Amino acid sequence: MISRRVFGKVVGTGTGAVAMSLAGLRDASAADGAHGASPGSAGPSAPTPAATSFTGLKQVRAGVLDVGYAEAGPQHGPVVICLHGWPYDIHSYVDVVPLLAAQGYRVIVPYLRGHGTTRFLSSRTVRNAQQSAVALDIIALMDVLKIEKAVLAGFDWGSRTAGIIAALWPHRVSALVSVSGYLITDVEAQKTPLSPKAEYSWWYQYYFSTERGRLAMETPDDRDALCRLVWDTVSPTWDFDDATFERTAAAFTNPDYADIVIHNYRWRLGLADGERRYDRYEKLLAARPRIATPTITLDAERDPFTAPGDGSSYRDFFTGPYEHRTLAGIGHNVPQEAPAAFARAVVDATRL
């Protein structure tokens, strides 16, 4: 455990409001709406402080990328890797990181390919965002940082990526925190229509299937307006300010951003090819492999992508120690809307 004096240094990347002990984490996670709180008890999230930021971002060559990442906490502490989604970036974890660092964890938050300061090493590399390619990026990062095993925690693309690594490389994952549960993609199954209401929530996925959608992602004003609309609709109780969105939108100026986002969503629908070198992994993932890693899944009550049934639709995919939590009054960007509940889940997952 880190002393309060050291903790004060660690939280230089965050706000004073996140300076709390493990007991404080428990209390704050309840306030975030975790542990079966009554619907709406968390209430709308407070505006995110615009001053909250990471300092001293790092870069390292790993696999086909030069990866940009934030890091905090003791160098020799147990490692937690936090993975962001779309349309977000590492700042989804800006209030989670100091909480975990204060508990003695070494926390690493990488920009995924096509985001922020992460760059491809070669102009000849295919700008591919199929699920196994993104997962192998994280394996490559762990290898170059000499991390044998880590807790993986994520939402959106990050949940999928963390789940893939836990399924295919379980020896590299000590525990898993997955928002929305089991998100590993079977492209063939994706061809089956969902309910009209569910399809409506995925409107941008179909927009990106058109060249009109690609052009929007290549045009800065249209891109930012689209991404902000997604924030508004999938996190209806999150009262973020302009500076909070703009801080993340800076990550969208990556020269490969449009290519990566468009390929990701087209590939999922079977409208874009992957690369043959990933075929063996995709074949395994298409079988929807079970995950034996100790896992906590989180469902956000106000997230339109949360499946009904309190996690029952994916429970059978997790065969190891397991716990499910619902976050009342919280939307899609769980770590930024409910940082204490997310951090608490990471701590508790390591103890399952």
Side-chain angles (χ1 to χ4, degrees):
M1 195 73 66
I2 298 178
S3 70
R4 286 188 178 274
R5 186 184 316 179
V6 176
F7 175 69
K9 296 178 181 179
V10 171
V11 297
T13 59
T15 65
V18 297
M20 59 184 71
S21 64
L22 185 59
L25 256 184
R26 185 179 300 111
D27 295 340
S29 65
D32 278 341
H35 297 292
S38 60
S41 64
S45 304
T48 304
T52 307
S53 188
F54 291 114
T55 58
L57 295 181
K58 299 181 179 182
Q59 296 286 143
V60 66
R61 292 191 170 200
V64 300
L65 301 173
D66 182 17
V67 180
Y69 66 100
E71 181 174 353
Q75 184 68 25
H76 299 293
V79 179
V80 179
I81 300 176
C82 296
L83 301 170
H84 68 79
W86 181 88
Y88 307 98
D89 80 328
I90 63 174
H91 291 94
S92 287
Y93 294 99
V94 76
D95 291 320
V96 170
V97 167
L99 293 173
L100 293 175
Q103 298 302 322
Y105 293 97
R106 178 188 177 193
V107 192
I108 294 169
V109 192
Y111 282 111
L112 299 185
R113 57 171 55 192
H115 293 73
T117 61
T118 292
R119 297 288 191 275
F120 286 90
L121 295 174
S122 172
S123 61
R124 296 186 298 273
T125 302
V126 177
R127 272 39 178 179
N128 175 1
Q130 71 185 101
Q131 60 183 354
S132 57
V134 179
L136 284 164
D137 290 343
I138 304 306
I139 292 291
L141 177 63
M142 293 175 69
D143 288 345
V144 77
L145 295 180
K146 295 181 168 48
I147 297 169
E148 288 298 319
K149 182 176 284 193
V151 180
L152 297 185
F155 76 107
D156 198 88
W157 291 20
S159 289
R160 179 175 295 104
T161 303
I164 288 168
I165 297 171
L168 298 188
W169 296 278
H171 60 288
R172 306 301 298 270
V173 186
S174 55
L176 174 67
V177 174
S178 181
V179 175
S180 305
Y182 188 93
L183 296 182
I184 294 175
T185 299
D186 175 359
V187 174
E188 283 302 311
Q190 288 280 94
K191 296 176 181 179
T192 301
L194 302 173
S195 69
K197 183 177 180 180
E199 296 283 19
Y200 175 76
S201 297
W202 286 102
W203 65 270
Y204 54 84
Q205 178 172 243
Y206 308 113
Y207 185 43
F208 293 159
S209 298
T210 70
E211 286 308 295
R212 182 176 176 131
R214 172 185 284 279
L215 181 60
M217 289 304 289
E218 292 174 344
T219 306
D221 288 347
D222 293 338
R223 176 198 66 214
D224 289 356
L226 186 153
C227 291
R228 181 151 189 165
L229 175 62
V230 172
W231 279 35
D232 286 334
T233 55
V234 303
S235 295
T237 61
W238 182 28
D239 186 19
F240 60 90
D241 59 20
D242 291 345
T244 297
F245 176 78
E246 290 162 5
R247 180 183 61 193
T248 286
F252 308 160
T253 63
N254 185 299
D256 298 307
Y257 186 75
D259 285 343
I260 289 299
V261 173
I262 295 297
H263 184 266
N264 179 282
Y265 288 102
R266 290 185 180 182
W267 176 85
R268 288 197 220 174
L269 293 177
L271 301 176
D273 292 333
E275 293 180 81
R276 293 192 63 183
R277 61 175 163 163
Y278 299 115
D279 284 353
R280 58 177 172 149
Y281 304 114
E282 296 299 344
K283 184 177 180 180
L284 294 171
L285 295 172
R288 314 295 302 281
R290 268 46 180 177
I291 294 173
T293 301
T295 299
I296 291 179
T297 56
L298 300 173
D299 275 354
E301 180 199 27
R302 300 303 301 274
D303 183 352
F305 306 119
T306 294
D310 198 25
S312 61
S313 63
Y314 52 73
R315 174 63 184 91
D316 291 345
F317 288 107
F318 299 96
T319 60
Y322 177 81
E323 186 176 325
H324 175 79
R325 298 175 182 178
T326 297
L327 304 181
I330 301 300
H332 187 67
N333 186 2
V334 168
Q336 202 161 1
E337 296 181 59
F342 191 91
R344 181 74 224 181
V346 171
V347 173
D348 290 349
T350 66
R351 300 174 178 181
L352 287 177

